[in-house]
Amino acid sequence: MDGNSEKLFEDLGLTLKNTLGLRRLHIAACGTSYHAALVGRYIIETLARIPVSVEIASEYRYMQPIIEHDTLFVSITQSGETADTLAAQREAHRRGARTVTICNVVGSTAAREADVVLYTRAGPEIGVASTKALTSQIASLCLLAIGLGSKRGHLVNGETKVLKSQLSKMPELIEKVLTKNDEIQGLARTLVDARDVLYLGRGINYPVALEGALKLKEISYIHAEGYPGGEMKHGPIALIEDGLPVVALAPMDSHFDKILSNIEEVKARGARVIAVTDEPDAISKKADNVIVVPSAHTLFSPMVTVVPLQLLAYHIAVLKQCDVDRPRNLAKSVTVE
């Protein structure tokens, strides 16, 4: 993607008139793509001030969705052949929504059937567990949000330019995270025998916690759960016991103090805390292990904070001698319901 949101909007067929008239976005996806959609909701609602609902695609068509006038439906699917996502897209189209698909595979069913296609062009996906698909899908949603925000007058030219500049820095920041590979591999050696791992995030990094847990489940077969930090006292804190690994996403943003509080409460109950942060000085004494990542724009930070979680899952799986590319019971493209 070249970052040209004007060209993107020409491709989407969204004029100033129908962009201003948009009342709601519906996004439907499965698995990793669903987590990208959850990140996208934060970005779109912040930059474009349009209400966004995100649904698991397998549930969407059975929930009798309410498609108001001027609703834009967005499906997200790496392969373009995911049966549940295709069914959701068809249901939205049947009910009168304009349909857009964010997809990686040119000429796929989702691409052929949607009104408009936004190709991520991430190259062939070999492994079953998606990684680069997530990054490219979030980047696509960022461009969509910037374009919507600009056209609807919520972003002035200067703000749009800054956002695009920050987005263009993501590859460089991800490269910096990848230099932590050996450090993360060493950390993985201490987690090989874990039976359960809890991932915590707040705000836009809550979906990253979900994705980190999903990756660990998918390729290492270790039970893992992702939770929003604010939900800890509503049940999950009962799971905390001595030595339980808790991965906390703690970038310096408006939720930083809150996630620090979560770290303190699980630590007080015996958890082993692994923090992912760009502010190590404020957190090093509270966590057992700290993975330092570069600072990024808050809305784009998930593309950075997710990378160490992907690497951690990968190294644990390799150490457990699991088939990282082809995990048991999973298929790259889920073409049946």
Side-chain angles (χ1 to χ4, degrees):
M1 302 188 66
D2 61 7
N4 187 337
S5 56
E6 288 300 321
K7 177 64 166 60
L8 180 148
F9 268 69
E10 289 177 16
D11 293 345
L12 291 178
L14 289 172
T15 64
L16 177 61
K17 180 179 179 181
N18 61 27
T19 301
L20 289 173
L22 276 179
R23 295 183 181 182
R24 178 173 292 276
L25 267 69
H26 288 194
I27 308 179
C30 302
T32 289
S33 297
Y34 172 71
H35 298 155
L38 291 173
V39 172
R41 179 178 65 186
Y42 283 95
I43 300 169
I44 293 168
E45 290 190 340
T46 298
L47 299 182
R49 306 306 298 158
I50 301 174
V52 179
S53 64
V54 178
E55 306 294 342
I56 294 173
S58 58
E59 296 292 323
Y60 185 82
R61 64 170 161 163
Y62 298 114
M63 60 188 291
Q64 298 296 309
I66 299 171
I67 306 290
E68 298 173 325
H69 181 60
D70 290 324
T71 293
L72 184 67
F73 175 90
V74 181
S75 65
I76 306 178
T77 163
Q78 189 282 139
S79 68
E81 304 296 343
T82 308
D84 290 322
T85 306
L86 288 171
Q89 181 175 298
R90 289 163 182 161
E91 180 67 11
H93 177 76
R94 187 180 72 81
R95 291 175 179 266
R98 182 174 180 81
T99 58
V100 176
T101 189
I102 295 176
C103 180
N104 189 40
V105 180
V106 176
S108 61
T109 304
R112 294 197 310 271
E113 295 187 3
D115 294 317
V116 178
V117 186
L118 183 52
Y119 284 117
T120 57
R121 304 189 187 279
E125 277 273 0
I126 305 303
V128 168
S130 293
T131 49
K132 65 181 180 179
L134 177 81
T135 307
S136 59
Q137 289 165 355
I138 293 175
S140 300
L141 289 161
C142 288
L143 287 177
L144 180 61
I146 292 169
L148 286 170
S150 178
K151 287 225 178 249
R152 290 169 63 86
H154 294 290
L155 296 173
V156 298
N157 287 338
E159 291 174 316
T160 301
K161 185 176 180 180
V162 168
L163 287 165
K164 288 181 178 179
S165 174
Q166 292 293 316
L167 186 58
S168 70
K169 293 178 181 178
M170 288 303 107
E172 175 187 343
L173 298 183
I174 291 170
E175 286 284 351
K176 289 181 178 179
V177 180
L178 293 175
T179 66
K180 304 283 184 179
N181 182 64
D182 291 347
E183 174 189 336
I184 295 169
Q185 184 179 34
L187 178 60
R189 293 191 184 98
T190 71
L191 295 169
V192 169
D193 295 325
R195 294 183 59 189
D196 306 279
V197 181
L198 184 63
Y199 290 73
L200 297 179
R202 283 183 177 260
I204 200 168
N205 275 283
Y206 160 52
V208 179
L210 292 175
E211 179 62 13
L214 177 62
K215 282 294 159 284
L216 193 65
K217 283 183 278 197
E218 283 182 310
I219 64 174
S220 77
Y221 318 139
I222 294 173
H223 173 251
E225 297 291 342
Y227 273 96
E231 279 292 290
M232 282 300 292
K233 287 188 172 68
H234 298 279
I237 201 166
L239 297 171
I240 305 300
E241 58 186 8
D242 284 345
L244 176 74
V246 176
V247 180
L249 293 151
M252 178 54 77
D253 58 17
S254 60
H255 299 280
F256 187 71
D257 288 342
K258 296 294 185 182
I259 199 69
L260 280 184
S261 177
N262 287 134
I263 288 172
E264 289 167 353
E265 69 183 1
V266 299
K267 185 68 177 171
R269 290 161 177 81
R272 174 190 173 186
V273 176
I274 300 160
V276 176
T277 184
D278 58 349
E279 194 64 32
D281 291 343
I283 210 165
S284 58
K285 293 182 180 179
K286 300 179 185 293
D288 298 279
N289 304 95
V290 177
I291 302 172
V292 182
V293 296
S295 297
H297 189 289
T298 297
L299 292 179
F300 308 148
S301 65
M303 285 185 275
V304 174
T305 55
V306 76
V307 176
L309 308 190
Q310 294 168 336
L311 287 172
L312 187 62
Y314 167 79
H315 285 301
I316 292 173
V318 170
L319 290 165
K320 289 171 66 71
Q321 299 185 330
C322 300
D323 188 337
V324 175
D325 287 332
R326 297 173 182 80
R328 66 189 184 201
N329 305 328
L330 296 179
K332 182 61 196 171
S333 183
V334 183
T335 57
V336 295
E337 185 177 9

